[in-house]
Amino acid sequence: MTTPMVKFENVTKRYGALTVLDSLNLEIAPDEKVAIIGPSGSGKTTVLRMLMTLERINDGIIYVDGEPLTHMPKNGRLVPADERYLRRVRGKIGMVFQHFNLFPHMSALRNCMEAPIHVLGLSRQEAEQRAAELLDMVGLSDKKHQYPSQLSGGQQQRVAIARALAMRPKVMLFDEVTSALDPELVGEVLNVIRKLGKEHNLTMLMVTHQMGFAKEFADRVCFFYGGQIVESGRPEEIFSAPKEERTRQFLSAVLEAS
Amino acid sequence: MQLRQLAVCAIVFFTAGLAVASFAGFREFIPGLLEGAWVTVQITLGGCLLAVVMALVAAMAKMYGPLPLRWLAVAYIEVFRGTSALVQLFWLFFVLPHFGVNLGPMTVAIAALGLNVGAYGAEVVRGAVNAVPRGQWEASVALNMSRPLALRRIILPQAFVAMIPPWGNLFIELLKATALVSLITISDLAFKAQQMNQTTFRTVEIFTIVLIVYLAISVLITVGTRTLETFAARGIARGR
Amino acid sequence: MFWDWNYVWEITPALLRASLVTIQATLLGFALAATLGLVLAIMRMSRTSWISVPTAGFVEFIRSTPVLIQIFFIFFVFPEFGIVLPAMTAGVIALGLHYGSYCSEVYRAGLENVPRGQWEAATALNLSPYITFRDIIIPQAIPPVVPALGNYLVALFKETPLLSAIAVLELMQTAKILGSQSFRYVEPITLVGGFFLVMSLVAAAFIRQVEAWLNRSLRNPGGER
């Protein structure tokens, strides 16, 4: 078996007395598409935020592409990673947020050029070319010079996807990327993600409430409950024949609502 | 609305002042007052520049500096906000020479006012930076930016717009505080006012005109910051 | 020798006496500022524009010019019109006037934050405007702005050294006189600075307490339930 692209090893996250994730073990293969579902407060978003190093973990180790992410080797032992080490390894990961988090003082194009120029050290021409190609890919080549406040939510989220891709990550994280959108704008964003899955060799990890999309798009679905993976498997298994009672309850509640 | 009221006020007072002055043979004291006004403007400009620099440095040190630097910044901010501008001015003027530091009065004036307003400005900077949504920091991390880079390119440009109106108020406070330097022998507008008053006894005219000149400079500062605000806001959110 | 403790003990009684003058000027000045501020706020909010516009102009004018010049104006110019005031009175009036115009903005914010529905409810109950203002609006408008007023009290306190410019024997003037007598400025001026620092920090902590207490009691008027 090949080395997993992402590997959580006994990862625990606590906020004070509250344990959000309890000794999580999860391996994700290169190019695999994993959907994470579960009720709010089940710790699913925390998984992505830890992988993006937005949250520190309390216990365990996360590996990315065979390298430790949260820790670094030093004198033959693993010690918590420092900022310099983090910045080297974290470049393999990109993230798209629920609330887009575009930079409001920069045009769509500039949003996609900023980090390639200042972090990757690309020349302005290279960065602009790459940004233009990506904006074209997400169907926004005519909105290049617009500012985020002039774009619809769906357009903003597509810029955010292009911005993350401009860093050439190996792993893409999608954190409820359609939850803040008006219903009629959800489709355009999901289409971009579909296209991404087909055309790029990307490992994708998404937290989503779009059960239909998860079923059609993901290679694997993980159901989170109470800080643990209760059940995981191929989407058709999970959605049509869940083994666990809690999965069944959650799915019937979600499907009833929609 | 407020700006128009200010402008109307300025014009009314100015014509009234001129009318009074022209009856009273204002040639006696106008040149002296103008000299003083020029000194006031110089101190204001120097003080504002120092205040902005100090505010940025102190705010960054307080928020992101290593511990000893953080304490130093907190001490600076608390001491200069906790004591009077006049006490600070006198301290630099009378006490520093005892420690063998001899600065000219102009340097002392600019240093005292700049440090004083800079301490208030540091809290303005800190507030504006903290008001930038947390998502902007998170997006910067997700794009693998270093903290200084994110601060310089993403956070501070956004905080800048929110900072302009409070800085306008601080610049006016600084202008008003320049009157204190007359008490350490600098011949600014306030000093000239007293001097001219003692030689010409045109008390009413002199102090009225001096108030109007300060008002005029205040209005200039207000207009300047409003203009800057409009431009900056246009930069951050076109078409909003 | 940079610091002479014997000299410190020698001048402490004089400075303590002077600090009473400073505190007296602060309290009198603020009493004036708090009262005048409310009057100015109400005048500025008047629907009659020949009251509200000049008041707004006056407030902006006072806020845009130095207190020191205002002190001089009251002390030197008023006598020209036959109003001769002792230095302390002139200084207190100037400080009260200056900070009154700042306070008026605070009151105005407080008054504007009272929901319109309160006026409408009072009208529906046929209360007179005066009673509405006194019993309904003011009690709701003032408590939330008490911390902001407190901050101006501290600011006014820190401006009292300006009274030294018209020879009021407050802390700064006393320190200067002591310094010129002995040619030692280090101790008196540093002590004055320390006094202001300690008082300001204590006041700031106190205001934070009041703010926290107000936040709790405003959210739950009438106490525990």
Side-chain angles (χ1 to χ4, degrees):
Chain A
M1 189 189 153
T2 50
T3 11
M5 181 56 80
V6 175
K7 182 175 164 194
F8 289 79
E9 201 176 87
N10 295 319
V11 173
T12 298
K13 172 74 189 171
R14 284 182 290 265
Y15 292 114
L18 180 74
T19 303
V20 192
L21 280 175
D22 192 6
S23 194
L24 173 74
N25 285 291
L26 179 64
E27 287 187 15
I28 298 165
D31 208 15
E32 192 180 4
K33 276 73 179 153
V34 176
I36 297 177
I37 61 171
S40 54
S42 60
K44 53 193 193 319
T45 287
T46 310
V47 173
L48 299 195
R49 293 176 58 83
M50 289 188 316
L51 193 49
M52 194 64 258
T53 69
L54 295 171
E55 307 276 356
R56 279 187 183 284
I57 64 175
N58 298 102
D59 222 338
I61 300 183
I62 302 175
Y63 295 88
V64 173
D65 202 12
E67 271 183 302
L69 169 76
T70 50
H71 294 66
M72 58 183 181
K74 195 175 176 184
N75 307 328
R77 289 190 312 135
L78 286 179
V79 297
D82 62 16
E83 181 68 18
R84 234 182 62 208
Y85 180 82
L86 273 184
R87 290 200 58 214
R88 194 173 68 72
V89 182
R90 147 172 103 194
K92 295 173 182 169
I93 308 167
M95 183 164 178
V96 183
F97 297 87
Q98 180 180 0
H99 294 286
F100 331 137
N101 296 351
L102 289 181
F103 304 135
H105 57 305
M106 296 178 182
S107 66
L109 189 69
R110 190 70 220 182
N111 259 283
C112 302
M113 289 166 62
E114 184 66 16
I117 291 176
H118 292 286
V119 178
L120 303 182
L122 258 58
S123 75
R124 189 167 288 267
Q125 287 92 333
E126 283 176 288
E128 182 162 352
Q129 197 193 345
R130 185 186 285 192
E133 279 167 17
L134 287 167
L135 285 174
D136 191 36
M137 201 269 289
V138 300
L140 289 174
S141 44
D142 55 331
K143 303 278 183 197
K144 273 195 293 214
H145 300 295
Q146 307 276 325
Y147 282 74
S149 59
Q150 297 167 308
L151 300 174
S152 74
Q155 290 168 335
Q156 288 190 55
Q157 195 58 295
R158 286 188 278 154
V159 174
I161 293 173
R163 181 177 72 173
L165 287 173
M167 296 299 282
R168 299 271 159 92
K170 295 186 168 181
V171 182
M172 277 285 275
L173 311 178
F174 295 87
D175 183 12
E176 304 195 22
V177 292
T178 55
S179 299
L181 298 177
D182 291 334
E184 75 273 19
L185 302 177
V186 169
E188 60 186 70
V189 173
L190 293 183
N191 280 337
V192 167
I193 298 177
R194 264 187 209 107
K195 194 164 151 193
L196 216 60
K198 261 184 239 133
E199 295 173 5
H200 292 68
N201 293 322
L202 273 171
T203 307
M204 293 180 163
L205 199 53
M206 62 187 66
V207 169
T208 185
H209 293 299
Q210 303 284 333
M211 295 304 153
F213 183 71
K215 190 172 178 177
E216 153 221 345
F217 183 76
D219 301 318
R220 178 152 54 120
V221 175
C222 295
F223 173 68
F224 267 72
Y225 188 91
Q228 282 172 322
I229 299 179
V230 173
E231 188 170 356
S232 90
R234 299 199 57 76
E236 49 275 20
E237 294 166 19
I238 298 273
F239 286 108
S240 45
K243 293 192 195 75
E244 299 288 329
E245 177 58 29
R246 274 192 297 239
T247 319
R248 245 190 309 263
Q249 280 172 357
F250 172 74
L251 287 175
S252 68
V254 170
L255 294 177
E256 206 170 292
S258 64
Chain B
M1 182 63 196
Q2 218 176 45
L3 192 66
R4 224 175 55 204
Q5 287 164 353
L6 265 177
V8 168
C9 254
I11 292 163
V12 167
F13 273 91
F14 192 65
T15 30
L18 263 187
V20 172
S22 53
F23 280 116
F26 59 94
R27 270 175 219 86
E28 280 178 86
F29 52 80
I30 285 286
L33 291 186
L34 282 181
E35 269 170 49
W38 174 231
V39 174
T40 294
V41 168
Q42 283 173 301
I43 295 174
T44 306
L45 289 178
C48 287
L49 197 68
L50 179 61
V52 170
V53 172
M54 285 309 294
L56 281 172
V57 171
M60 291 304 121
K62 184 173 173 181
M63 285 192 288
Y64 307 114
L67 259 196
L69 212 59
R70 203 175 301 175
W71 288 332
L72 197 68
V74 171
Y76 158 66
I77 293 169
E78 292 303 323
V79 166
F80 276 85
R81 280 165 22 121
T83 55
S84 312
L86 187 62
V87 178
Q88 290 153 24
L89 195 67
F90 279 3
W91 203 89
L92 291 184
F93 189 70
F94 289 110
V95 178
L96 270 193
H98 282 264
F99 296 94
V101 185
N102 273 302
L103 307 169
M106 273 301 263
T107 317
V108 164
I110 290 176
L113 298 180
L115 288 172
N116 179 268
V117 173
Y120 288 92
E123 295 300 273
V124 166
V125 172
R126 205 166 65 93
V129 167
N130 284 340
V132 174
R134 212 164 55 109
Q136 294 292 311
W137 277 110
E138 296 185 345
S140 309
V141 172
L143 292 170
N144 209 5
M145 294 182 178
S146 66
R147 204 142 72 161
L149 177 68
L151 200 59
R152 188 164 55 83
R153 303 280 313 176
I154 309 300
I155 307 300
L156 281 179
Q158 293 180 57
F160 179 68
V161 183
M163 276 184 228
I164 297 171
W167 269 113
N169 290 337
L170 285 180
F171 288 157
I172 290 177
E173 291 299 323
L174 195 142
L175 164 71
K176 286 158 53 181
T178 59
L180 307 184
V181 305
S182 63
L183 306 175
I184 59 163
T185 73
I186 294 177
S187 17
D188 75 322
L189 187 54
F191 184 89
K192 284 286 182 188
Q194 281 178 286
Q195 198 184 38
M196 296 288 143
N197 182 36
Q198 277 154 18
T199 52
T200 67
F201 298 106
R202 298 231 173 264
T203 312
V204 183
E205 297 93 324
I206 289 172
F207 283 106
T208 308
I209 288 176
V210 164
L211 281 175
I212 291 163
V213 173
Y214 277 112
L215 178 67
I217 304 176
S218 289
V219 171
L220 270 181
I221 294 175
T222 310
V223 172
T225 46
R226 290 275 163 84
T227 318
L228 191 62
E229 200 188 342
T230 319
F231 275 109
R234 210 176 292 159
I236 192 171
R238 275 164 220 225
R240 196 178 276 173
Chain C
M1 180 99 146
F2 284 141
W3 188 262
D4 183 349
W5 281 109
N6 287 330
Y7 181 48
V8 169
W9 290 125
E10 206 178 294
I11 59 175
T12 300
L15 287 177
L16 279 180
R17 270 194 303 278
S19 74
L20 290 181
V21 178
T22 291
I23 290 170
Q24 196 189 354
T26 306
L27 295 180
L28 288 173
F30 192 71
L32 179 59
T35 320
L36 189 66
L38 187 57
V39 174
L40 287 173
I42 294 168
M43 283 169 69
R44 189 168 181 176
M45 291 173 79
S46 159
R47 277 198 212 109
T48 324
S49 64
W50 57 265
I51 296 178
S52 64
V53 172
T55 310
F58 178 76
V59 167
E60 294 302 324
F61 175 69
I62 296 288
R63 277 157 48 100
S64 305
T65 49
V67 208
L68 184 63
I69 307 292
Q70 291 161 8
I71 293 173
F72 285 158
F73 197 90
I74 292 177
F75 191 59
F76 293 125
V77 176
F78 277 23
E80 303 272 315
F81 301 103
I83 308 167
V84 182
L85 297 168
M88 176 75 171
T89 314
V92 164
I93 291 176
L95 286 176
L97 192 65
H98 194 82
Y99 281 92
S101 61
Y102 276 95
C103 289
S104 78
E105 292 298 282
V106 172
Y107 283 121
R108 197 156 67 102
L111 290 169
E112 278 172 357
N113 273 341
V114 178
R116 270 184 60 84
Q118 294 293 308
W119 279 103
E120 289 166 0
T123 310
L125 292 171
N126 208 14
L127 297 177
S128 73
Y130 172 70
I131 296 292
T132 306
F133 208 73
R134 198 193 64 188
D135 290 354
I136 312 294
I137 305 301
I138 294 275
Q140 295 185 65
I142 304 294
V145 299
V146 165
L149 292 176
N151 286 333
Y152 283 125
L153 170 62
V154 178
L156 187 149
F157 167 65
K158 287 187 292 186
E159 296 264 42
T160 53
L162 291 182
L163 302 187
S164 65
I166 50 170
V168 175
L169 282 170
E170 48 66 68
L171 262 177
M172 198 69 232
Q173 181 70 0
T174 311
K176 259 169 68 189
I177 292 172
L178 290 169
S180 63
Q181 282 165 355
S182 60
F183 301 105
R184 285 201 63 99
Y185 285 100
V186 183
E187 292 85 356
I189 294 183
T190 308
L191 285 176
V192 170
F195 173 78
F196 276 102
L197 182 61
V198 170
M199 293 292 276
S200 304
L201 289 178
V202 169
F206 179 69
I207 290 169
R208 268 200 298 278
Q209 287 294 313
V210 171
E211 205 170 354
W213 176 79
L214 275 173
N215 276 342
R216 256 177 287 130
S217 59
L218 289 180
R219 232 178 288 133
N220 182 16
E224 302 291 321
R225 226 179 284 168

